[in-house]
Amino acid sequence: MKKLIVLLILAISINLNAQFFVQLNSGYSLPAEKSEMPYPFFNGYYNLTLLPDTFYTGSQYMHYTKTDENREAVKANFAEGFKFGLAGGYSFKKYFAVSFNVYYTLATSQNETYKEDLWFVEKIIDNVTDKHLIGSTGYKYQFFSKTINSALFLEFHYPLNKIEPYLKLGPTLAWHEINMKSTTTDISYYPSILTQLHTSEEKYTGSECLGFSSALGCRYNFNNFAVFADFQYIYDNFTPSKARFYNSKYSYNGSEPQIDDEDMDLTLVANESETIGGGQSFDPGSPTYRIKSKYSFSSFSFNIGIQYSFGKSKAQPEVQNIN
């Protein structure tokens, strides 16, 4: 009986200083750093000129010269986009709270382009080169990503009447999906103009990722409701373990796209020097293989939201007993 009375007193004393609360928030996220995409993703351009005595060996052109080149690795951004979240928590002892937060971020699309032009030198007279563009290949890459991020926060807040600044710290657990869409346009100008358009998509997934987050902000209390705003940092990296190539389509000279039956799983390898079955080195440009890479999802964001607290109003002034 005494134990029951003690537990009841403890429960009442905790409830006098504690509140359950729920939150809804939204914001915009910016990347802390960008991710360098592995081969075969590039941006820039590349010009290849064939000399008059050029001949074709069946796999490559001989007697050529590179006249101009600007080929760089693509740096993709997987953390920029609108962010939505909800949370539930428990505030206790006036200065502390714990909360469980879930965020969903949809990164905006990003376009990168790369172009290869093939020229043929017909003749050179008095150091004047007469050359013609006989082929061109253009590449366009689009990157998208989806993230579900959960965080368990310990919050330190300091009430100043209705204003309540706070600091939140805690671990995160995230699930990611990366989607890439590639569009390749091949144009042949000789002997006649032929345009071939090829589109395909790739999806990268994997297991959950551990990270860390912190947020600094302020609340303004209206009875049981409150509005808040904060700046948040999330440290988060993702290394995919699964990749899929799908939705491959071809069209010729503007014809209706034809679905190409090439849906397949991609093999992720550590680097370009890794060998496959029988000790054979793989071709990094092959559609079957991709280099396994780590992608940054670390971000800075500004969030605003509303909060509802159950129980005693935070904005309600305390009544003092006068003896």
Side-chain angles (χ1 to χ4, degrees):
M1 187 63 180
K2 289 183 179 180
K3 291 183 178 179
L4 183 59
I5 294 174
V6 170
L7 290 174
L8 184 60
I9 294 173
L10 286 174
I12 293 173
S13 63
I14 290 175
N15 287 333
L16 289 175
N17 295 285
Q19 288 181 313
F20 287 101
F21 61 87
V22 291
Q23 294 177 339
L24 290 174
N25 64 79
S26 63
Y28 196 81
S29 175
L30 293 173
E33 61 178 320
K34 292 187 176 182
S35 300
E36 184 170 302
M37 303 302 297
Y39 187 92
F41 299 102
F42 291 104
N43 62 16
Y45 57 87
Y46 179 88
N47 286 335
L48 181 65
T49 299
L50 307 178
L51 302 181
D53 58 348
T54 294
F55 60 92
Y56 187 60
T57 66
S59 61
Q60 60 182 338
Y61 287 99
M62 307 299 291
H63 296 186
Y64 64 87
T65 179
K66 290 183 292 185
T67 55
D68 197 9
E69 179 180 13
N70 180 15
R71 185 161 128 168
E72 300 176 348
V74 170
K75 290 188 176 180
N77 169 15
F78 295 116
E80 181 174 356
F82 288 100
K83 178 178 171 182
F84 306 92
L86 56 88
Y90 187 69
S91 179
F92 58 95
K93 296 297 183 183
K94 188 178 180 180
Y95 299 110
F96 302 97
V98 291
S99 64
F100 180 73
N101 301 251
V102 177
Y103 304 101
Y104 176 75
T105 304
L106 180 63
T108 54
S109 65
Q110 176 183 345
N111 298 331
E112 297 287 349
T113 58
Y114 175 63
K115 187 177 182 182
E116 293 181 349
D117 285 337
L118 182 63
W119 300 81
F120 179 73
V121 176
E122 185 174 340
K123 55 187 176 181
I124 302 176
I125 301 177
D126 296 331
N127 293 324
V128 177
T129 302
D130 182 12
K131 64 178 182 178
H132 304 279
L133 181 65
I134 62 173
S136 178
T137 303
Y139 303 88
K140 180 180 179 180
Y141 309 118
Q142 295 175 285
F143 302 98
F144 311 83
S145 67
K146 302 173 184 177
T147 300
I148 297 177
N149 207 316
S150 61
L152 182 61
F153 282 128
L154 175 61
E155 178 183 310
F156 306 90
H157 51 254
Y158 190 81
L160 298 171
N161 198 3
K162 293 185 177 183
I163 298 175
E164 196 172 26
Y166 60 84
L167 171 67
K168 298 193 292 187
L169 304 166
T172 62
L173 188 65
W175 293 263
H176 302 290
E177 179 182 296
I178 294 176
N179 291 274
M180 305 180 193
K181 182 176 181 180
S182 301
T183 303
T184 305
T185 305
D186 282 314
I187 303 177
S188 175
Y189 299 96
Y190 181 85
S192 60
I193 297 179
L194 173 64
T195 301
Q196 175 180 305
L197 183 67
H198 176 219
T199 61
S200 62
E201 297 183 51
E202 297 178 23
K203 179 186 293 186
Y204 294 78
T205 56
S207 57
E208 61 276 3
C209 309
L210 286 172
F212 175 80
S213 181
S214 62
L216 181 65
C218 189
R219 256 187 307 271
Y220 189 88
N221 296 297
F222 302 93
N223 297 321
N224 290 79
F225 284 95
V227 293
F228 64 89
D230 60 40
F231 290 95
Q232 183 180 16
Y233 170 73
I234 296 179
Y235 174 79
D236 184 17
N237 290 315
F238 171 55
T239 302
S241 58
K242 297 179 181 179
R244 181 76 176 166
F245 178 90
Y246 67 102
N247 202 19
S248 177
K249 297 179 182 179
Y250 287 92
S251 66
Y252 299 90
N253 286 340
S255 64
E256 190 71 21
Q258 301 295 316
I259 297 177
D260 182 42
D261 188 18
E262 287 189 7
D263 290 8
M264 58 185 171
D265 291 326
L266 299 174
T267 301
L268 296 174
V269 296
N271 51 60
E272 293 185 26
S273 62
E274 182 168 323
T275 57
I276 54 179
Q280 178 183 4
S281 297
F282 79 96
D283 175 10
S286 167
T288 309
Y289 298 93
R290 288 291 181 265
I291 299 173
K292 191 173 186 178
S293 299
K294 181 174 70 174
Y295 303 103
S296 174
F297 279 76
S298 298
S299 65
F300 295 98
S301 64
F302 176 72
N303 312 298
I304 58 175
I306 59 173
Q307 174 179 305
Y308 180 79
S309 301
F310 300 91
K312 181 182 175 182
S313 168
K314 287 191 173 185
Q316 179 181 336
E318 296 183 0
V319 178
Q320 296 182 353
N321 294 324
I322 301 176
N323 295 326

